[in-house]
Amino acid sequence: MFVYIARQPIFDRQKRLFAYEVLFRSSMDNTFPERMDSDEATHGVLAHVLFNIGLDAITGPHRALINFTENHLLNKTPLQLPRQRCIVEILESILPSPQVFEACKELKAQGYTLALDDFDFNAQSEQLIPLMDIVKVDLRAIDLGRLADSMARMQRYPDVAWLAEKIENYQEFQLAQSLGFSYFQGYFLDKPEVLKNKTIDTVKVVLLNLLAEVCQPAVDLRRIEGMVTPDVALSYKLFRYINSAYYALPRNVTSIRYALAYLGESGVRQFVSLAAISELSVGKSSELMRLSMVRARLCQLLAASSRSGQADESQLFLLGLFSLLDAMLDMPMAELTSTLPLTDDLKDALNQRSGPLAPYIQAVTAYEKGEFQECAAHLTQLGIVPGAMIDAYFTALTWADAFAKNFLKQD
């Protein structure tokens, strides 16, 4: 059975990664076969994802927030999962009943963390709050004008942490912070915070120049060596990179020139892009860099899967990696790409989501959001079978999580 799975980050008030919500479907069209019960399908998906693939492959060291149907809750399915790693999400469709109360109490007694999904401040669902550790509020599904009053009434539950989801911009993030929310979920990190009167400091100009160098049609390794050598941070990252288990060299490399020569033109492009982007994203949540790495590798892998055979994998790697550059530097994407010698196709995909490369990043971002039907449409447009996304996504997650250790401070 194919399993389509994505993870969405959840952050704390300091924009540090708290957990991932795990989204999964048994098919790209989000429907079940005519004779298959939805609970049966969910059970199969859970078993496959959590026991065959494993939580480490999905969320790394972070906790997983997983939702369950009422039948699964009453059948005690969550008890099969490690309580230290999983947050049990109670769907908003589950109504309070003696059986539901009993199931929640047992989970709490066993040490599980419980979250109530999509609470809309109705009295019926509120009956469950005393048993909850986390309550989620969908900012797209409520009246924001009444949110302050609604949250003020919820102060009667001092032991509950509140999670605002579907936050799309920093204004909403700041609003949710001011109203007492502790956790935040949405795509606000993907957006620039400020677009007016923003300048790039000298260090970042140097890094953009380095990126420009590796975006040239032919990479001059001597010029790259001259730019990397004086930069202690980049030199250190290069040695960590080349001496990592990924390359498994018989002895450590201590020469920058040898390291660059060993990597070759394609490898140098990849290393410099990753290292420079990691420095450009300093001051932002490390999830932003991690996500750009996942996108880069995923776009590259999808290019290799395309039946057209015409996609340039190195261009697709840059597309994924640069897709969050505006959020990292808080500047318009068009202004940033104008400083880099990128191809017209790459600029069109980054600036306007248009042109022949655009379906790759559109498929990837749709998959991240759990919009699997839209993802499938873009993959079909590229001549890629939807099933290819499964292995590619987990390969990209594993690759990005492994190499993040070389570039990021872990949350």
Side-chain angles (χ1 to χ4, degrees):
M1 177 176 67
F2 282 146
V3 175
Y4 298 89
I5 183 167
R7 67 185 192 185
Q8 291 184 357
I10 298 169
F11 303 95
D12 66 13
R13 294 180 66 86
Q14 286 73 46
K15 293 183 285 186
R16 296 174 303 201
L17 184 60
F18 165 67
Y20 288 107
E21 179 167 6
V22 178
L23 307 176
F24 50 83
R25 298 289 186 276
S26 58
S27 67
M28 275 285 193
D29 60 9
N30 293 355
T31 61
F32 299 104
E34 203 171 294
R35 295 186 179 180
M36 181 178 284
D37 176 79
S38 61
D39 290 306
E40 179 186 346
T42 300
H43 183 78
V45 170
L46 279 171
H48 184 71
V49 168
L50 300 177
F51 301 122
N52 294 343
I53 297 173
L55 276 177
D56 287 343
I58 301 169
T59 63
H62 302 286
R63 301 175 81 182
L65 192 152
I66 304 169
N67 57 55
F68 293 89
T69 64
E70 182 173 359
N71 283 341
H72 277 286
L73 183 64
L74 299 183
N75 289 332
K76 305 182 180 182
T77 302
L79 291 173
Q80 301 176 42
L81 308 177
R83 60 178 177 270
Q84 301 87 351
R85 298 292 311 279
C86 296
I87 299 171
V88 177
E89 185 170 0
I90 311 299
L91 291 175
E92 72 280 5
S93 59
I94 298 177
L95 300 178
S97 69
Q99 294 81 8
V100 168
F101 278 115
E102 191 59 36
C104 290
K105 287 177 181 177
E106 182 174 0
L107 286 168
K108 290 282 289 184
Q110 295 287 339
Y112 285 85
T113 300
L114 302 187
L116 179 62
D117 188 31
D118 287 351
F119 177 61
D120 60 1
F121 302 97
N122 72 82
Q124 189 173 37
S125 295
E126 189 177 340
Q127 297 175 56
L128 290 169
I129 290 184
L131 291 171
M132 297 297 122
D133 301 286
I134 298 170
V135 176
K136 299 178 69 175
V137 177
D138 182 346
L139 295 195
R140 291 281 162 299
I142 60 169
D143 183 350
L144 291 180
R146 298 181 178 179
L147 183 57
D149 289 339
S150 298
M151 287 297 294
R153 286 191 284 107
M154 294 300 109
Q155 291 181 6
R156 70 186 78 172
Y157 306 109
D159 296 329
V160 172
W162 294 82
L163 189 160
E165 64 176 335
K166 296 187 181 175
I167 298 179
E168 299 298 329
N169 55 60
Y170 270 87
Q171 289 73 30
E172 291 175 353
F173 172 65
Q174 290 165 347
L175 171 65
Q177 277 191 315
S178 70
L179 295 179
F181 284 89
S182 299
Y183 301 115
F184 312 87
Q185 184 176 1
Y187 295 93
F188 64 102
L189 282 183
D190 292 11
K191 307 292 192 299
E193 290 185 53
V194 180
L195 294 179
K196 294 181 180 178
N197 303 320
K198 178 75 176 182
T199 59
I200 306 176
D201 62 44
T202 304
V203 173
K204 292 184 177 179
V205 169
V206 172
L207 291 169
L208 284 173
N209 287 335
L210 187 56
L211 279 176
E213 193 64 38
V214 297
C215 290
Q216 299 286 352
V219 175
D220 186 332
L221 294 183
R222 286 297 180 92
R223 280 183 60 83
I224 298 297
E225 180 186 356
M227 299 172 80
V228 171
T229 300
D231 192 312
V232 176
L234 281 177
S235 299
Y236 173 72
K237 288 182 176 181
L238 175 60
F239 290 134
R240 286 195 65 182
Y241 185 83
I242 194 70
N243 293 314
S244 69
Y246 183 78
Y247 288 102
L249 298 178
R251 57 178 177 270
N252 283 351
V253 174
T254 57
S255 162
I256 290 177
R257 179 171 299 179
Y258 180 84
L260 296 175
Y262 181 87
L263 290 173
E265 187 172 303
S266 177
V268 167
R269 270 201 183 94
Q270 183 165 295
F271 162 74
V272 169
S273 299
L274 289 169
I277 289 290
S278 74
E279 291 296 323
L280 290 172
S281 65
V282 168
K284 295 284 188 173
S285 167
S286 63
E287 180 63 20
L288 195 62
M289 175 60 189
R290 192 182 289 109
L291 180 57
S292 73
M293 294 173 73
V294 172
R295 288 185 178 184
R297 184 64 173 144
L298 190 48
C299 285
Q300 186 181 49
L301 291 168
L302 291 178
S305 299
S306 174
R307 287 199 293 266
S308 68
Q310 298 175 350
D312 184 333
E313 293 181 28
S314 64
Q315 288 291 293
L316 268 299
F317 184 88
L318 292 177
L319 172 61
L321 194 67
F322 291 176
S323 64
L324 295 168
L325 195 58
D326 55 344
M328 291 177 186
L329 294 176
D330 296 321
M331 294 184 66
M333 182 65 80
E335 185 176 334
L336 292 169
T337 57
S338 68
T339 67
L340 300 172
L342 306 175
T343 65
D344 289 340
D345 286 346
L346 190 49
K347 286 184 179 181
D348 288 342
L350 288 169
N351 296 338
Q352 303 162 352
R353 293 295 191 265
S354 64
L357 302 184
Y360 287 96
I361 192 63
Q362 289 169 322
V364 167
T365 54
Y367 195 88
E368 290 170 357
K369 297 178 181 180
E371 297 170 354
F372 297 125
Q373 286 177 293
E374 182 182 341
C375 174
H378 292 304
L379 293 176
T380 300
Q381 183 182 352
L382 293 167
I384 301 173
V385 295
M389 178 62 88
I390 305 168
D391 289 338
Y393 184 67
F394 281 109
T395 299
L397 287 184
T398 301
W399 180 87
D401 286 344
F403 279 102
K405 296 175 183 177
N406 290 320
F407 296 105
L408 305 175
K409 292 181 179 179
Q410 295 298 298
D411 289 320

